[in-house]
Amino acid sequence: QGPLVESGGGSVQAGGSLRLSCRVPGYKNERYCVGWFRQSPGREREGIASIDSHGSTDYANSVKDRFTISRDSAENTVYLQMDSLQPDDTAMYSCGAEHEPVVCSGMVLGMGYARYWGQGTQVNVSS
């Protein structure tokens, strides 16, 4: 298992959109739970979206109906489409993964945990 690699962060005005990508080595051949997490200064890391090996997804209340997690298994990539961004969404966003079987939603959203991590990508939302 190599490191995960995120991309797609940047700066956007409130109401705008960004799409983050997370390349997960070996994703198409193995069963992974993958999550997106974020952390801003003074706050604890927050798991915000999860997708399990069956494609089932779950979201934190803070991003539900605004963010969408999806995957392209052939490309070993998991995405996070972020719409209607607000200044409070400003944070370092990271993806994390763990081999299944795990309770994916519980691991990501409940515990904020993953075994494998990327380096993170910064998202800044201005008002």
Side-chain angles (χ1 to χ4, degrees):
Q1 171 65 44
L4 282 61
V5 180
E6 301 99 335
S7 61
S11 297
V12 65
Q13 288 190 322
S17 299
L18 285 172
R19 189 177 79 157
L20 306 182
S21 299
C22 173
R23 188 165 179 85
V24 183
Y27 184 75
K28 65 182 177 183
N29 295 320
E30 302 181 43
R31 293 175 57 204
Y32 281 110
C33 161
V34 178
W36 282 98
F37 305 79
R38 67 184 182 185
Q39 188 169 20
S40 54
R43 291 186 173 181
E44 292 188 357
R45 184 172 63 211
E46 175 188 21
I48 57 172
S50 66
I51 185 165
D52 69 14
S53 63
H54 302 289
S56 295
T57 60
D58 203 359
Y59 301 90
N61 288 335
S62 58
V63 306
K64 195 171 292 185
D65 299 326
R66 298 189 299 125
F67 292 9
T68 303
I69 189 170
S70 63
R71 64 184 181 177
D72 184 337
S73 298
E75 295 296 325
N76 291 325
T77 302
V78 173
Y79 302 98
L80 185 69
Q81 177 67 39
M82 305 186 295
D83 298 319
S84 301
L85 283 162
Q86 299 301 318
D88 204 40
D89 294 316
T90 294
M92 178 69 76
Y93 284 71
S94 301
C95 62
E98 171 62 289
H99 286 100
E100 293 186 350
V102 293
V103 179
C104 190
S105 175
M107 183 189 85
V108 173
L109 306 184
M111 300 172 60
Y113 170 82
R115 182 185 298 273
Y116 309 108
W117 291 94
Q119 80 288 354
T121 185
Q122 181 68 35
V123 171
N124 295 313
V125 185
S126 59
S127 57

